[in-house]
């Protein structure tokens, strides 16, 4: 008996636990009812009764949402929807020592895209104080005599750019990706070879002083590409 070839085109059935299903139902309920942060959500017993599952299953599903920062318990109010901290989970899991080479490269590419696209915010929000800080870092870098000093200048320069952008979410994301960036730079130093792009920090500062936003993206891309090549 021949096997129907179309049978192999069927997608495998995804295995989901009862807690998975309850969690998905709760997400759908929250979205469909347009529940906002601060609004109450149904009680544990009400959810169990409505979905026909045990309270233990509901408790596990609610525990997952609580870990994601989506809900919390309040005295006299019960459970309410909260404003989730979208960065918190990433802060806990992104570290170069627990990521393989492929993931590190993907994250560094993401950082490259962010920094290349940072120009619009930098030119709109740069201040005299920011520029003085960048000048000081460039001067410190030019006087650096050790690899550790140069690495510190590299990290400080890019951190200052994110501060200058004035976007808190971007800054937190940069903080999350910073260990990966530091890992790459330190790895290069162990090779006795720190990447120097065709565009230096001093060149980037000059572009900022010249108020030339059109030149910034390509300059930053050239500055970061040598680092990416070592991944």
């Amino acid at each position: 008996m021949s096997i129907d070839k179309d049978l192999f085109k069927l997608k495998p059935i995804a295995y989901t636990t009862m807690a998975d299903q309850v969690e998905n139902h709760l997400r759908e309920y929250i979205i469909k009812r347009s529940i906002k942060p601060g609004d109450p959500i149904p009680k544990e017993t009400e959810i169990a009764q409505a979905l026909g599952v045990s309270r233990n299953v509901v408790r596990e599903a609610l525990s997952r949402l609580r870990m994601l920062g989506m809900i919390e318990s309040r005295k006299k109010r019960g459970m309410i929807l909260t404003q989730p901290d979208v960065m918190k989970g990433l802060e806990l899991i992104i570290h170069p020592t627990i990521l393989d080479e492929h993931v590190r490269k993907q994250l560094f590419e993401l950082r490259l895209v962010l920094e290349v696209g940072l120009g619009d915010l930098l030119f709109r929000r740069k201040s005299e104080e920011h520029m003085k800080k960048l000048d000081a870092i460039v001067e410190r870098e030019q006087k650096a005599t050790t690899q550790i000093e140069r690495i510190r200048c590299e990290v400080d320069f890019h951190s200052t750019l994110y501060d200058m952008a004035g976007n808190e979410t971007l800054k937190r994301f940069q903080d999350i990706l910073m260990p990966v960036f530091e890992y790459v730079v330190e790895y290069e130093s162990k090779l006795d070879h720190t990447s120097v792009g065709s565009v230096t920090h001093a060149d980037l500062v000059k572009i900022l002083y010249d108020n030339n936003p059109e030149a910034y993206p390509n300059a930053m891309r050239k500055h970061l590409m040598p680092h990416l090549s070592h991944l």
Side-chain angles (χ1 to χ4, degrees):
M1 179 180 176
S2 62
I3 300 177
D4 188 346
K5 292 181 179 179
D6 288 337
L7 183 63
F8 293 100
K9 297 179 182 179
L10 297 176
K11 294 181 179 180
I13 297 174
Y15 173 77
T16 58
T17 66
M18 293 295 289
D20 292 332
Q21 295 177 52
V22 172
E23 181 184 355
N24 291 333
H25 278 301
L26 288 174
R27 289 175 185 273
E28 291 176 7
Y29 175 83
I30 289 169
I31 293 170
K32 288 180 179 178
R33 294 292 295 270
S34 297
I35 298 175
K36 306 298 182 186
D39 291 344
I41 65 172
K43 297 178 182 178
E44 187 179 291
T45 51
E46 295 172 339
I47 297 171
Q49 184 177 0
L51 297 179
V53 297
S54 70
R55 290 183 63 181
N56 285 339
V57 172
V58 174
R59 202 169 291 129
E60 181 180 345
L62 291 173
S63 176
R64 296 178 184 181
L65 297 181
R66 191 174 287 109
M67 288 178 64
L68 292 172
M70 291 183 63
I71 62 172
E72 65 180 24
S73 299
R74 293 279 182 87
K75 287 184 178 180
K76 299 181 181 180
R77 293 197 62 194
M79 289 181 295
I80 66 168
L81 189 70
T82 59
Q83 182 67 56
D85 186 343
V86 295
M87 296 294 179
K88 188 173 182 180
L90 292 175
E91 289 172 343
L92 296 175
I93 63 172
I94 292 185
H95 195 279
T97 58
I98 59 175
L99 302 173
D100 64 22
E101 181 180 337
H102 176 71
V103 175
R104 289 198 299 268
K105 182 177 180 180
Q106 295 290 311
L107 289 173
F108 196 89
E109 287 177 347
L110 176 58
R111 182 185 174 113
L112 186 150
V113 170
L114 286 176
E115 295 209 20
V116 167
L118 210 58
D120 288 340
L121 292 179
L122 295 180
F123 283 93
R124 187 181 306 168
R125 297 173 179 170
K126 64 188 175 77
S127 66
E128 184 178 347
E129 181 182 352
H130 287 131
M131 296 307 296
K132 285 182 178 179
K133 190 171 183 180
L134 290 177
D135 283 336
I137 294 170
V138 169
E139 184 178 353
R140 204 171 80 228
E141 182 178 39
Q142 291 171 345
K143 295 178 179 179
T145 57
T146 68
Q147 204 68 277
I148 293 177
E149 289 175 319
R150 284 189 283 270
I151 291 173
R152 190 69 259 162
C153 290
E154 180 79 18
V155 171
D156 289 348
F157 185 90
H158 291 271
S159 294
T160 301
L161 292 181
Y162 279 88
D163 285 334
M164 188 187 300
N167 183 294
E168 185 59 32
T169 300
L170 267 178
K171 181 64 174 69
R172 286 191 63 191
F173 200 53
Q174 183 259 353
D175 290 340
I176 292 171
L177 296 181
M178 181 57 74
V180 177
F181 186 70
E182 291 177 330
Y183 179 89
V184 173
V185 177
E186 289 178 11
Y187 171 75
E188 292 168 351
S189 71
K190 291 176 183 177
L191 296 176
D192 195 27
H193 174 93
T194 299
S195 290
V196 178
S198 59
V199 174
T200 66
H201 290 151
D203 295 328
L204 292 171
V205 171
K206 185 178 185 304
I207 290 172
L208 287 167
Y209 271 121
D210 290 345
N211 288 314
N212 189 357
E214 291 78 16
Y216 180 86
N218 194 45
M220 178 57 78
R221 188 180 297 109
K222 289 180 178 179
H223 174 71
L224 290 175
M225 282 306 292
H227 294 301
L228 184 61
S229 67
H230 283 136
L231 285 171

